[in-house]
Amino acid sequence: MPTAISHQPAIRCRGVTKDYGTGNALVRALRGVDLELWPGELSLLVGPSGCGKTTLLSVIAGILDQSEGDVAVLGTDLGRLSNRQKVRFRGRHIGFVFQQFNLLPALSAVENVSVPLVLQGYRKRAAMARAEQVLKSMGMGDRLASLPGKLSGGQQQRVAIARALVHEPQVVVCDEPTSALDAKTGHVIMRLLRNVAMERERAVIVVTHDARVFEFGDRIARMEDGQIVEIQQQTPARGDEPATLTMKTA
């Protein structure tokens, strides 16, 4: 049973495939993926390079269209949405955290975090006030006016996470959020993401190669050759305690 208090998954994939090219040049990146991810959990997508993790994350986020199968996010069938509707859906319900932070170098921390709200039509003052609130909640209240170049890697990733959360999404997708960080800072970021999931019953999905952070996941979906080959559910690490595996299914 999921650890989240919910009666339906935040993400449900059924028979999802993704093809690139045609004929002899056809490459099948996803091969019939079945997956359920739940609100209130931090879920990890793990596996070797080229196995389809980032492709699956992009399909879940509505950035790529699947070739076959069904993808439902928060009960919405993404296959039934137009491109414009998908953009609107992402802007309202999904937050993105990237490996390289993707902060605008000429903007301060608070200005970077306010960008998603400004793009949605918020007045600048309201957007900045909300961005300041989110950054302060992450312990960045003393770095609001700092440019990205004046921040450490961990601080930049906190700003990137704040930017992903400023519009209060119900799903947060993260592509290798700790790969540019040292082990200690990576653990801090993963604990922060766990709190993000638990705080408001968000579904947080992390693609990672970083085995150092596996212990922080509620659910670990292992991929090989475009398929989910194993799903583990565990009691994640808290403080200095190790994770405890509670269920394992193939």
Side-chain angles (χ1 to χ4, degrees):
M1 293 293 291
T3 58
I5 304 171
S6 178
H7 298 295
Q8 66 175 4
I11 290 96
R12 178 182 282 122
C13 299
R14 289 287 182 267
V16 172
T17 68
K18 178 61 181 177
D19 298 337
Y20 295 101
T22 59
N24 293 334
L26 178 69
V27 175
R28 176 150 285 187
L30 299 178
R31 303 169 179 266
V33 171
D34 294 326
L35 183 65
E36 291 183 349
L37 302 176
W38 294 81
E41 289 188 350
L42 173 62
S43 300
L44 306 180
L45 293 178
V46 307
S49 296
C51 71
K53 302 186 302 295
T54 298
T55 297
L56 179 57
L57 191 74
S58 297
V59 169
I60 288 171
I63 296 171
L64 292 177
D65 295 329
Q66 70 270 27
S67 299
E68 297 175 355
D70 300 308
V71 179
V73 178
L74 303 174
T76 297
D77 184 349
L78 297 187
R80 296 182 178 272
L81 300 183
S82 67
N83 287 337
R84 179 174 295 183
Q85 288 172 326
K86 285 182 181 178
V87 170
R88 189 178 302 119
F89 184 86
R90 287 197 301 269
R92 182 175 300 172
H93 298 295
I94 300 178
F96 295 86
V97 179
F98 304 98
Q99 176 180 352
Q100 299 300 329
F101 315 138
N102 289 351
L103 301 177
L104 298 172
L107 298 185
S108 67
V110 70
E111 288 170 334
N112 265 284
V113 174
S114 73
V115 165
L117 297 181
V118 173
L119 293 176
Q120 289 186 33
Y122 281 67
R123 292 183 181 274
K124 184 176 181 180
R125 180 177 296 180
M128 292 283 282
R130 170 62 184 159
E132 180 176 334
Q133 178 186 14
V134 177
L135 280 169
K136 285 181 176 179
S137 74
M138 295 187 177
M140 292 288 290
D142 61 338
R143 306 310 299 268
L144 299 176
S146 299
L147 297 176
K150 299 295 185 180
L151 300 174
S152 69
Q155 289 171 334
Q156 289 185 63
Q157 192 59 286
R158 283 176 181 257
V159 174
I161 293 170
R163 181 184 57 191
L165 298 178
V166 72
H167 59 296
E168 298 188 337
Q170 294 161 276
V171 173
V172 179
V173 297
C174 311
D175 193 4
E176 299 283 359
T178 64
S179 63
L181 306 174
D182 60 76
K184 182 178 179 180
T185 305
H187 281 200
V188 170
I189 293 301
M190 291 303 294
R191 288 192 183 96
L192 177 58
L193 289 172
R194 273 203 48 74
N195 290 338
V196 165
M198 297 173 63
E199 181 184 35
R200 298 195 180 181
E201 287 287 300
R202 293 185 177 99
V204 178
I205 308 126
V206 176
V207 162
T208 185
H209 290 92
D210 189 354
R212 300 173 300 178
V213 303
F214 287 4
E215 63 185 294
F216 293 97
D218 296 280
R219 191 178 303 265
I220 302 176
R222 299 183 184 274
M223 295 190 69
E224 291 182 11
D225 298 324
Q227 296 178 305
I228 302 291
V229 296
E230 181 181 68
I231 296 175
Q232 295 177 345
Q233 187 171 327
Q234 64 183 9
T235 302
R238 302 180 189 279
D240 295 326
E241 297 179 4
T244 303
L245 187 65
T246 56
M247 183 186 76
K248 182 175 179 180
T249 59

